[in-house]
Amino acid sequence: MTTPLPHAGRSGADSGAAPEARTESVAQFDAAERGLANRLQNALHAHPTAVPALVLVASVILFGASVGERFFQPFNLSLVLQQVTIIGIVGVAQTLVILTAGIDLSVGAIMVLCSVVMGQLAVQAGVPAPIAIAIGVLVGVAAGFVNGALVALVRLPPFIVTLGTWNIFFALNLWYSRSETIRAQDIDATAPLLQIFGTAVNVAGARLTAGSIFMVLLFGLFWYILNWTAWGRHVYALGDDPDAARLAGIRTRRTLISVYVVAGMICALAGWVLIGRIGSVSPQAGQTANLDSITAVVIGGTSLFGGRGSIFGTLLGALIVGVFRNGLALSGVDVLWQDFAVGFLSIVAVAIDQWLRKIAA
């Protein structure tokens, strides 16, 4: 029978005790470093819509206190919703693209081009309005496919691709429309279906348009799609880590093309809503929709680096922009400073996103 050497036993005990001491020391150090700011950072990272929700509530309280009863009148609040309708719908398309770590600068040009196609076919060419609308939607789908194919198959940067197609679609818009506006009277006489989203109902002093209701329903639809369908999960996975998504069996190129195609279709629907919103078909309308939609998405908490964000965050971002512009206008602030305020909000939103990304890193 062999007796263990005392020295060896002590050495083993000592070597076993030392790692325990080191582990306990590290655990204590981590606990000490975890402060209030770190817990807040984790909470906001887990709930990306929390920041825009807080900003929206704070801005409503601020302008309500400074402007007074005029701000809280039902008609004024419904006016804010009307003003953000186009930005919100185009923002849905922009959100899908940004979730894939891309960007689409051509959304405004696609929207206007599709509205011009619908108007020209229905009013000038005598095509039945439903067919003209369907062709306009197909134009949006085709435009989205061009963007998606260039990004996914040719592997060009989304910024460069959509910057180029923005100019191309805008030029086609001016060429096809001959830079002429189709008047509301002509649309009402020949194709009133084009103006259906301008239909309004009065509810307790508020004026709700069909376009605004459509916007809210569209957000609800894509919230369900992004959170409860395989396609939605693939979009998030593609933006978070495309290599890991590909290794997991996701057809990343097909998914990326489908995102741009769906975005183009949404822009075409936004073009139809735009006709109802302004009553006419103008080749010069909605030219800032691309930048406005990016602003709404960024303020709404969706990361420009992809993979993180919420579709309802974009709705909150659009409402924040609308509340700021409306509140500042009622306060008598010049439009120049309204743009300044919205730009400042965008920079702050990106700074917050960078801060929250440190959690993921």
Side-chain angles (χ1 to χ4, degrees), residues 24-214:
E24 183 179 352
S25 175
V26 171
Q28 291 174 356
F29 177 78
D30 289 343
E33 286 294 315
R34 186 178 174 84
L36 177 62
N38 188 259
R39 289 196 295 271
L40 176 63
Q41 196 176 15
N42 277 281
L44 294 179
H45 184 269
H47 303 88
T49 59
V51 174
L54 291 174
V55 171
L56 179 61
V57 172
S59 60
V60 168
I61 295 174
L62 172 65
F63 289 116
S66 60
V67 176
E69 294 181 358
R70 290 184 300 162
F71 182 80
F72 288 111
Q73 288 179 353
F75 179 80
N76 184 63
L77 295 178
S78 65
L79 181 61
V80 172
L81 191 63
Q82 293 177 45
Q83 291 171 338
V84 303
T85 294
I86 302 301
I87 298 176
I89 295 174
V90 177
V92 174
Q94 192 71 257
T95 302
L96 296 177
V97 175
I98 290 180
L99 282 175
T100 66
I103 198 165
D104 193 344
L105 298 176
S106 67
V107 288
I110 294 175
M111 175 185 71
V112 179
L113 176 61
C114 293
S115 70
V116 166
V117 169
M118 294 175 189
Q120 289 288 330
L121 290 177
V123 179
Q124 306 292 0
V127 176
I131 297 177
I133 292 169
I135 294 174
V137 172
L138 288 176
V139 169
V141 169
F145 178 79
V146 170
N147 284 337
L150 291 174
V151 172
L153 301 181
V154 187
R155 297 180 179 275
L156 296 177
F159 181 88
I160 299 301
V161 168
T162 56
L163 179 63
T165 54
W166 173 21
N167 289 281
I168 292 172
F169 298 148
F170 181 64
L172 290 174
N173 160 41
L174 295 179
W175 168 76
Y176 185 61
S177 66
R178 298 182 296 276
S179 298
E180 297 176 355
T181 298
I182 302 177
R183 299 181 306 169
Q185 300 92 320
D186 297 332
I187 298 175
D188 187 54
T190 57
L193 182 61
L194 294 180
Q195 297 176 328
I196 191 171
F197 285 111
T199 306
V201 292
N202 294 319
V203 180
R207 189 173 185 272
L208 299 177
T209 64
S212 299
I213 296 172
F214 174 76

Side-chain angles (χ1 to χ4, degrees), residues 238-274:
L238 178 60
D240 186 52
D241 192 335
D243 293 329
R246 184 166 52 254
L247 292 174
I250 298 174
R251 297 181 176 179
T252 54
R253 292 186 181 181
R254 179 179 295 184
T255 302
L256 189 56
I257 292 175
S258 69
V259 166
Y260 282 92
V261 167
V262 172
M265 180 185 68
I266 295 171
C267 290
L269 295 175
W272 185 9
V273 177
L274 178 65

